[in-house]
Amino acid sequence: MLRLKILTVLAFVVTLVTPFTNVFPRFSLQSDMNEAKKSRALIEEAMLSRPEQVEGEGSTWTSCKPVKRRGGRGAQSKGGGFGGGGAGLNMNKNKSKNKQQMIPLTSPKLSVKEGSRFGVELAREGFVRINGALSPSAAEKLREEVLAVQVNVAVACAETSLDPESVYGTEPGRTSRIDLLLPFDTEVQASMNELFVSGGPLRSLFEEVVGAEGEFYEMAAIITSSGADRQIIHPDLPWRNEAPLYVCFCALQDCTLAMGPTTFLPKSNDLQTRQIYDAGGDGVDAMLSASEVATPCLLAGDLVIFDARTLHAGCANTDDETTRCLYNFSFRTTSFLGDLGYKGSMRSGYSGKLNLGDVMNSADAGGQKLGGELGDGLRGGWQ
């Protein structure tokens, strides 16, 4: 019992430090720290478990009954958004693994005229889900390209002088949860064009919350394979009074609960919650036990956009057959111009070079390569 308490305290220290360092410190206590993180993550998982509740239309997304989809992709009832009563529900294709699990409510596909509504919801809840933002075919092609890049990068790191830290983000040594920094290859470009072309599903929302001058801060893929541990609940960066960064997780295949979707704590992007979190101790446990919880199981092309201050954690991947692959990108706002205290997952040759306006202009130009002369984003290239 005493050992568990010590590990829990140690895990809180790791939680506060890890998001704000580029590479986890390498010292003799590394294995103990990793065990502390695992132990704390399991404790948090128990705290965040919620009994299934069945309620009718008008209930919130935190207590809802799974229903079958009708009418193909994107079929929904009235209402929308994680916070909107009466929004539609998603069921995963793998019914056997998810039969008794709650599936959070979804929001309808964003249109240009709906940007402000989703902007308000994003500010209030700390995140918003958008279904079918990327076409299933585009998601499939991008997944294939991402996995090919993963193989090529692994070979290059093993057989050439390519520095792993130039192609991997958080904790380059991890094997079951990989943060792969992407080049502007064909399908990455095509996906950004589809999302941000004039009239595209994300354009109006990002124009509203970021602005054309907002820096293109991250472009990577989060790849989790069987055995990936659950993460500790965390924000992505130190507290700022205004949201400095908006992050997008786009599913590149249908995601089941066994594949380890991301858990979000609604309305945790506020100062009071952060003060409790930063203080640690019993206050955090009480906060987690009382929190609303959302764990969206995205289908291919669905995505979640979240304020980087929002508390969240990737769940464990216990699926023995499927690798979960998310396309991850983010944009900085212009409200905070200093150091975010968080290095974005982007190849160094792209970092600081592009903004939202560049992404939109490239999409409007009908496929003009984003970044142009920046190439693969690796300064000096592979040797």
Side-chain angles (χ1 to χ4, degrees):
M1 187 60 154
L2 177 61
R3 182 174 180 272
L4 181 59
K5 289 184 177 180
I6 293 173
L7 288 174
T8 299
V9 172
L10 186 57
F12 272 117
V13 175
V14 174
T15 305
L16 294 175
V17 172
T18 300
F20 316 134
T21 56
N22 295 337
V23 180
F24 198 79
R26 295 177 174 86
F27 48 87
S28 60
L29 293 179
Q30 180 72 58
S31 61
D32 287 340
M33 298 286 268
N34 288 337
E35 286 302 314
K37 291 166 68 177
K38 291 179 184 179
S39 297
R40 176 61 193 176
L42 292 176
I43 292 170
E44 290 179 350
E45 183 177 28
M47 291 176 181
L48 295 171
S49 296
R50 300 289 181 266
E52 183 176 23
Q53 301 177 37
V54 178
E55 299 183 12
E57 187 172 85
S59 61
T60 65
W61 45 261
T62 54
S63 57
C64 56
K65 180 181 179 180
V67 297
K68 292 182 179 180
R69 308 186 85 173
R70 291 187 174 89
R73 280 190 63 89
Q76 298 150 351
S77 62
K78 64 182 179 181
F82 273 123
L89 299 172
N90 269 349
M91 283 292 289
N92 289 289
K93 293 181 178 179
N94 191 332
K95 296 180 182 179
S96 62
K97 293 185 179 182
N98 298 282
K99 186 176 181 181
Q100 299 299 325
Q101 299 288 349
M102 288 191 300
I103 307 300
L105 296 188
T106 67
S107 56
K109 187 172 180 178
L110 184 67
S111 71
V112 175
K113 295 181 179 180
E114 291 176 318
S116 60
R117 178 167 69 87
F118 281 88
V120 169
E121 185 172 340
L122 179 57
R124 182 184 68 240
E125 301 294 333
F127 59 98
V128 65
R129 173 177 179 167
I130 301 173
N131 287 342
L134 189 65
S135 64
S137 61
E140 182 180 4
K141 291 176 182 178
L142 180 54
R143 186 177 191 273
E144 292 174 355
E145 183 170 274
V146 164
L147 295 179
V149 171
Q150 180 187 12
V151 172
N152 292 338
V153 160
V155 170
C157 287
E159 299 181 356
T160 73
S161 60
L162 181 66
D163 182 1
E165 293 190 17
S166 68
V167 287
Y168 296 111
T170 307
E171 299 178 50
R174 295 188 304 187
T175 57
S176 56
R177 187 180 296 274
I178 296 173
D179 186 19
L180 179 67
L181 310 186
L182 297 176
F184 282 119
D185 283 347
T186 303
E187 301 306 331
V188 172
Q189 177 73 58
S191 296
M192 294 304 283
N193 289 348
E194 186 174 323
L195 294 172
F196 288 99
V197 70
S198 180
L202 298 189
R203 182 156 175 156
S204 62
L205 177 57
F206 273 90
E207 281 184 303
E208 178 185 347
V209 300
V210 172
E213 297 301 317
E215 182 185 343
F216 190 13
Y217 198 66
E218 294 179 283
M219 188 179 71
I222 299 171
I223 305 170
T224 60
S225 54
S226 181
D229 294 320
R230 182 185 176 93
Q231 293 180 315
I232 294 174
I233 288 287
H234 64 279
D236 279 344
L237 38 73
W239 174 256
R240 308 295 180 200
N241 288 327
E242 296 184 33
L245 184 73
Y246 287 98
V247 185
C248 179
F249 286 170
C250 181
L252 301 186
Q253 77 285 302
D254 293 355
C255 181
T256 66
L257 287 165
M259 290 165 63
T262 303
T263 288
F264 296 92
L265 303 190
K267 302 181 179 67
S268 61
N269 57 328
D270 69 305
L271 179 58
Q272 181 180 6
T273 300
R274 178 57 72 86
Q275 288 174 332
I276 294 172
Y277 175 86
D278 287 345
D282 293 341
V284 174
D285 291 355
M287 181 264 290
L288 293 180
S289 296
S291 292
E292 296 176 303
V293 181
T295 306
C297 290
L298 305 175
L299 300 184
D302 296 349
L303 55 81
V304 171
I305 300 166
F306 65 97
D307 175 343
R309 300 174 300 175
T310 301
L311 299 180
H312 62 284
C315 296
N317 188 333
T318 60
D319 191 310
D320 294 331
E321 300 177 354
T322 307
T323 295
R324 174 176 175 250
C325 191
L326 288 176
Y327 178 40
N328 168 34
F329 61 86
S330 69
F331 290 90
R332 286 189 62 162
T333 69
T334 56
S335 62
F336 182 81
L337 301 179
D339 183 2
L340 287 179
Y342 167 74
K343 183 179 179 181
S345 295
M346 177 174 272
R347 293 189 175 191
S348 60
Y350 301 143
S351 183
K353 303 292 178 61
L354 300 165
N355 59 29
L356 177 62
D358 295 324
V359 174
M360 295 188 299
N361 291 337
S362 174
D364 290 344
Q368 176 181 322
K369 187 171 182 179
L370 191 60
E373 71 282 357
L374 300 178
D376 63 10
L378 300 176
R379 292 170 178 168
W382 294 10
Q383 298 181 18

